[in-house]
Amino acid sequence: MSTFTILLGGELIRTPRLERQIEGSRVIAADAGIGHARMLGLIPELWVGDFDSVPANLPDGLASVPRKTFPAEKDKTDGELAIAEALERGATSLVLAGAFGGKRADHAFLHLALGLRLAEAGTTVLLTSGAQEGVPILLGKARFDYADGTLFSVLGFSDLAGLTVSGAKWPLDNVGVAFGSSLTISNEVKGRLEIALERGRALLLAHPYPLPES
């Protein structure tokens, strides 16, 4: 398996879990995502984008990363272009770091939808901010390693059929969930979390590293 970490422009904090997830991976930065490389102590092999949001005062090691420049007026985001570069270089697994938050809610939504589409096409995908992470739920059954008490939600991108959630405070057994329902929001892990889905498109959003209340 060839894992690539894609550094996106959303929020990202450094946690031991994130460090384990990206250890040994190849790295590509998407425009402002280069700033996360400094925080994580990484040197990307490629920096992709239109470079309209380059962080100030980059150290020489990051400022000299090889660039692939695209025009500002284009039909793909810098993040999608960086992902495409990783796939062309043989990526079979992607960690989309900085996939949430930031100034653009539309970009965050795109990353969720794009992560789901990539997973359905056979690429392993993890979306993360360090504090929270998203994992596409494919048809069939999947197990997750989250600790007891971890807050999670199942986000439906369509009507869902045959959804079963076990190892949770509020389990579900072979239920249908209408698109836009809040039934699967704000659950908690209790035991070994398992999710099965017979039909539909969904993504697990978990909070394994909760931030302190502000």
Side-chain angles (χ1 to χ4, degrees):
M1 180 177 290
S2 179
T3 300
F4 277 72
T5 295
I6 308 299
L7 299 177
L8 302 168
E11 297 168 359
L12 192 67
I13 64 169
R14 185 170 183 169
T15 66
R17 184 178 177 91
L18 176 62
E19 290 174 348
R20 291 193 299 270
Q21 290 165 340
I22 66 176
E23 185 178 5
S25 68
R26 297 168 67 180
V27 182
I28 294 178
D31 209 338
I34 195 76
H36 297 321
R38 174 166 46 186
M39 183 261 292
L40 295 170
L42 300 173
I43 302 294
E45 64 184 66
L46 184 67
W47 188 6
V48 172
D50 53 26
F51 304 104
D52 63 350
S53 51
V54 175
N57 302 317
L58 283 178
D60 292 343
L62 292 179
S64 61
V65 167
R67 302 188 185 196
K68 188 167 185 179
T69 304
F70 293 86
E73 295 183 358
K74 55 188 182 299
D75 57 5
K76 292 183 178 180
T77 65
D78 295 327
E80 189 172 6
L81 291 168
I83 290 169
E85 287 291 333
L87 294 175
E88 287 182 8
R89 293 171 184 232
T92 57
S93 177
L94 296 171
V95 177
L96 306 184
F100 311 125
K103 299 178 181 179
R104 297 287 300 271
D106 51 352
H107 283 209
F109 175 80
L110 170 69
H111 297 150
L112 294 172
L114 182 56
L116 183 56
R117 177 166 66 83
L118 289 165
E120 290 174 342
T123 301
T124 300
V125 179
L126 172 71
L127 303 97
T128 181
S129 69
Q132 63 179 335
E133 36 187 72
V135 181
I137 298 173
L138 301 179
L139 302 186
K141 182 183 289 187
R143 294 182 176 183
F144 302 90
D145 68 345
Y146 298 116
D148 277 9
T150 300
L151 179 69
F152 74 92
S153 298
V154 175
L155 306 181
F157 285 72
S158 69
D159 291 342
L160 306 179
L163 176 66
T164 297
V165 178
S166 58
K169 185 176 182 178
W170 293 285
L172 296 171
D173 184 15
N174 196 31
V175 301
V177 183
F179 176 58
S181 169
S182 62
L183 175 66
T184 55
I185 301 298
S186 295
N187 206 336
E188 292 181 21
V189 175
K190 189 175 182 180
R192 181 63 180 266
L193 179 63
E194 294 188 2
I195 298 177
L197 182 64
E198 292 182 2
R199 188 171 69 252
R201 313 179 85 181
L203 184 141
L204 174 71
L205 188 65
H207 301 259
Y209 228 92
L211 297 175
E213 296 292 336
S214 57

